[in-house]
DNA sequence: GCAATAATGGATATCGATGTCCACAATGGA
DNA sequence: TCCATTGTGGACATCGATATCCATTATTGC
């Protein structure tokens, strides 16, 4: 449903959320645990750090941690930086268009039943809801 | 939500469904009406023809028509040939895996609320439900 | 200050999706 | 039969996403 980068981001965040927050996790350890190429994961994590979702610290005893408690990070913040406009789907038949009730496309009614739960998922689910086992 | 090819397919099918079925529509006319590059659309339509969703006829008075009444074509038949496995989404955090209730990933419960309406949309919505104005 | 540790940024490679072009095959009508 | 019409198939170009590698920068502990 999401691209590889956004999926990697979700896996990484869910993993981090399942660990004590005061203890930083090394990039290479995380890569090994969640089975993602470490050089690729580092790019993903850098993007999440820029987005303010996690913090990265260098040097000995460095690593990554959540920037906030998992219950206060919504999934849209994790997925958004990678999916961009895709994380705010509009009209089915005219991608990129708003497709409001007035002047809606012919698939509007049927598509709403997918779009609304999808937006709800991104806006209302928090990282705590998907956190992995420690 | 879908790739460009699947979206083009949906637009073309919705357009065709809004026309009298006994009258074939020219590829180039359809391309102009729904604003899709005609050379690309022809590839998409060829795929749909192979999938048995529409029929193509060559020569004078040729063109494309629905293979069946719009009410008997489900969207999965239109989208499936282009989206492949993406049209049957499984686990959020482990793409490609089944993620059944037993041994489910940590996002299973939250993700179900998106996945189920999505699958319902593809399996139960018909082309008639999204057909365009004539 | 020095050495070890770790993340960062840039360059590059690879792959699939998107999009274009054109010669060819098939069809219908005169 | 011959020609205009119309879709088909293959080759090719382009672009963004995915992925890899390495030199550099920042930080900690001694």
């Amino acid at each position: 449903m999401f691209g590889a980068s956004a999926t990697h981001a979700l896996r990484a965040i869910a993993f981090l959320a399942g660990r004590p927050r005061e203890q930083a996790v090394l990039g290479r350890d995380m890569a090994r645990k969640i089975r993602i190429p470490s050089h690729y994961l580092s790019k993903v994590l850098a993007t999440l750090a820029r987005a303010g979702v996690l913090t990265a610290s260098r040097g000995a005893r460095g690593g990554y941690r959540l920037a906030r408690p998992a219950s206060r990070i919504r999934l849209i913040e994790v997925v958004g930086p990678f999916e961009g406009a895709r994380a705010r789907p509009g009209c089915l038949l005219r991608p990129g268009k708003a497709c409001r009730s007035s002047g809606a496309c012919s698939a509007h009614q049927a598509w709403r039943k997918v779009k609304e739960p999808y937006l709800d998922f991104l806006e209302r689910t928090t990282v705590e809801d998907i956190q992995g086992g420690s």
Side-chain angles (χ1 to χ4, degrees), chain A:
Chain A
M1 200 66 138
F2 298 112
S5 295
T7 303
H8 291 347
L10 287 170
R11 283 161 62 90
I13 285 285
F15 175 79
L16 264 186
R19 303 238 139 185
R21 212 180 113 216
E22 64 277 7
Q23 185 189 344
V25 177
L26 295 190
R28 86 173 87 91
D29 289 347
M30 210 184 321
R32 185 159 20 84
K33 285 284 178 58
I34 63 182
R35 309 287 190 82
I36 291 173
S38 66
H39 287 107
Y40 190 7
L41 180 59
S42 72
K43 303 291 187 197
V44 170
L45 295 175
T47 299
L48 291 175
R50 271 191 300 272
V53 169
L54 52 79
T55 62
S57 48
R58 304 202 233 200
R61 330 232 2 119
Y64 301 93
R65 342 177 170 196
L66 293 187
R68 276 165 279 150
S71 61
R72 293 206 284 112
I73 303 176
R74 295 171 302 147
L75 297 193
I76 183 65
E77 298 176 77
V78 177
V79 169
F82 303 96
E83 298 286 309
R86 264 178 96 99
R88 286 118 190 140
C91 178
L92 175 67
L93 299 180
R94 289 175 302 187
K97 305 284 180 174
C99 202
R100 297 200 162 273
S101 300
S102 58
C105 82
S106 58
H108 187 68
Q109 288 303 321
W111 185 236
R112 273 183 54 188
K113 293 176 188 149
V114 176
K115 188 172 68 170
E116 287 176 2
Y118 176 82
L119 288 173
D120 248 47
F121 174 78
L122 290 177
E123 296 285 347
R124 296 209 219 283
T125 310
T126 72
V127 170
E128 185 178 40
D129 297 323
I130 67 162
Q131 84 181 23
S134 67

